[in-house]
Amino acid sequence: MRYGTTRVRQAGYGASGAGRRGVLAALALAGCGALLASGCSPAGGPKAGPGSSPPGTAAGSGSAGPSGSASASAGASVPPAKGMVTVTGEVAKGLESPWGVAELPGGDLLVASRDKGTVSRIALGSGTVTPIGEVPGVAPGGEGGLLGLALSPSFASDRLVYVYFTTESDNRIARMRYDEQRPAGQQLGAPDTVLRGIPKGLIHNGGRIAFGPDKMLYAGTGETGETGLAQDKKSLGGKILRMTPDGDPVHGNPEADSVVYSYGHRNVQGLAWDKDKRLWAAEFGQKAWDELNLIEPGANYGWPEAEGKAGRPGLRDPVAVWKTDEASPSGIAWAEGSIWMAGLRGNRLWRIPLAGTEPVAEPEAFLEGKYGRLRTVVPLGGDRLLLVTSETDGRGSPEAGDDRILTLTVR
């Protein structure tokens, strides 16, 4: 289904146009609880399609996951080749540069504003946005600012909110206690830094943080445009990091005294675990291929020596790749047997159906051009997702109501 015509967005960042305005108007008229069937466009085509191998390379990575084999588990259900996305409501709108999002017990949300350096609470049902506090020391600029957000695995008792943010000198991770008894805007305590010294830049700051099934804290970082950092194991740039909630290296990391978990990354902004506790990551390419990678401890993912599926000894190939104007991936989530990946420049949501560690079909694109740039995907359990737009990040073409958080039902 398509809604009207489309227009070219500014500065080569994709298309939105009348189609996106038409969808938003229909959704507003229907109300937050109404169902709005999304459009879907099959991926691929006569050329090297999204998720397919570049010419001359193997079709799959053939690698085993951190906690499973390369093939589907015996008896595991396989998702259908064709999926579906339904936009079921609008949680909030009028947000400024939203980036990290975390779901509170009870269903309310915490959302970080990259450029304002603040964290706000969004009330379930009403969509009321209430600032709860500011993160001291945030120095927004370029792609930096207040980025990832995660709740402590023991949040019910310790009330700790973890944040990844850019300062004048570095990127760092800190935790702050959330006290709802204090006045609005003053409910975050002083930051306790758990990790500092992640390289910063105007670009490629990474920024996604998440607690894994092992209750350890993972972070995706970028190489800030200094490509050599990705291969330098002593640098925290261009890596996926794994640490205790206190910021210490975890027993079982590739090197006992290091939080570096994998390396050779360009700019990781998406982290997700599947039902078998395998870690997946989305990564920005340069000019050729964006990547979805299956992450294993100690593995080298190739940047800057390789981009996409190079098939080179010692380098780990991605499971799926896209042309950079079709994706530029940020957040990802796992639901209903598939990885769901938000595309910034691509202005679309990608579905990658998986049997174990292998795609069962070509990735599918949904919502193409209808909501503009897409930043974050949050799993809500079962077939439900949150989707966060990113039109006010300086690279979009914001319209009335941007940015917004949408609820989705997926298959």
Side-chain angles (χ1 to χ4, degrees):
M1 182 182 299
R2 295 187 63 83
Y3 300 85
T5 59
T6 58
R7 60 181 169 80
V8 178
R9 297 171 67 79
Q10 296 182 46
Y13 285 97
S16 68
R20 187 159 76 89
R21 290 192 294 271
V23 168
L24 299 179
L27 187 56
L29 288 172
C32 288
L35 298 180
L36 178 64
S38 77
C40 110
S41 357
K47 300 175 289 185
S52 66
S53 301
T57 62
S61 68
S63 60
S67 57
S69 67
S71 60
S73 303
S77 60
V78 175
K82 296 296 182 182
M84 183 181 72
V85 172
T86 302
V87 180
T88 56
E90 184 178 83
V91 177
K93 62 182 180 179
L95 304 175
E96 182 178 336
S97 59
W99 214 99
V101 176
E103 185 186 17
L104 291 165
D108 284 3
L109 303 177
L110 294 185
V111 58
S113 170
R114 185 193 72 179
D115 297 340
K116 294 171 66 177
T118 57
V119 179
S120 297
R121 180 168 181 158
I122 300 176
L124 179 68
S126 69
T128 302
V129 181
T130 305
I132 67 167
E134 183 175 353
V135 179
V138 173
E143 297 174 2
L146 179 56
L147 304 174
L149 196 64
L151 302 184
S152 162
S154 305
F155 180 80
S157 57
D158 63 30
R159 312 302 289 179
L160 291 177
V161 177
Y162 283 71
V163 290
Y164 182 115
F165 62 102
T166 311
T167 73
E168 293 289 354
S169 60
D170 64 358
N171 285 296
R172 63 185 61 177
I173 301 170
R175 56 190 176 189
M176 309 171 76
R177 192 176 303 278
Y178 177 27
D179 184 354
E180 298 174 52
Q181 304 305 313
R182 299 181 65 183
Q186 303 175 36
Q187 295 175 338
L188 290 179
D192 171 24
T193 300
V194 299
L195 184 70
R196 66 180 73 235
I198 303 169
K200 63 160 283 188
L202 285 176
I203 58 172
H204 303 177
N205 289 288
R208 195 70 62 183
I209 55 174
F211 281 93
D214 56 2
K215 297 185 179 180
M216 296 296 109
L217 180 61
Y218 293 73
T221 74
E223 34 76 305
T224 72
E226 294 187 29
T227 58
L229 296 183
Q231 292 293 323
D232 180 358
K233 293 183 182 180
K234 294 182 180 180
S235 171
L236 299 180
K239 309 293 189 298
I240 292 176
L241 311 177
R242 177 177 180 247
M243 68 202 81
T244 70
D246 295 326
D248 298 321
V250 181
H251 176 72
N253 275 6
E255 296 183 15
D257 60 347
S258 174
V259 296
V260 172
Y261 193 65
S262 63
Y263 67 106
H265 298 288
R266 186 169 183 264
N267 190 25
V268 175
Q269 289 188 6
L271 299 172
W273 287 263
D274 64 23
K275 66 180 180 60
D276 294 316
K277 301 180 181 179
R278 290 177 286 247
L279 175 59
W280 299 83
E283 180 170 344
F284 289 82
Q286 185 177 38
K287 295 180 180 179
W289 302 106
D290 292 328
E291 301 177 357
L292 176 68
N293 284 298
L294 174 64
I295 301 303
E296 294 195 56
N300 180 355
Y301 288 83
W303 182 253
E305 281 122 16
E307 181 180 0
K309 296 182 178 182
R312 291 177 53 180
L315 304 183
R316 192 60 51 91
D317 275 348
V319 172
V321 294
W322 293 260
K323 290 291 189 179
T324 54
D325 59 352
E326 296 175 334
S328 295
S330 188
I332 62 173
W334 185 91
E336 297 295 290
S338 298
I339 294 289
W340 300 85
M341 186 178 78
L344 289 165
R345 188 177 178 188
N347 286 204
R348 67 198 80 174
L349 178 69
W350 285 101
R351 171 185 181 261
I352 305 94
L354 297 168
T357 64
E358 298 293 335
V360 300
E362 287 290 310
E364 289 180 279
F366 294 90
L367 308 178
E368 185 173 350
K370 294 187 170 50
Y371 297 97
R373 293 163 59 81
L374 305 179
R375 171 70 65 182
T376 297
V377 193
V378 180
L380 296 178
D383 61 356
R384 299 169 58 240
L385 297 174
L386 288 175
L387 180 63
V388 183
T389 70
S390 192
E391 284 290 282
T392 60
D393 68 350
R395 291 182 172 175
S397 300
E399 298 174 359
D402 287 334
D403 271 307
R404 58 194 78 232
I405 301 178
L406 304 169
T407 53
L408 310 179
T409 299
V410 300
R411 183 183 70 194

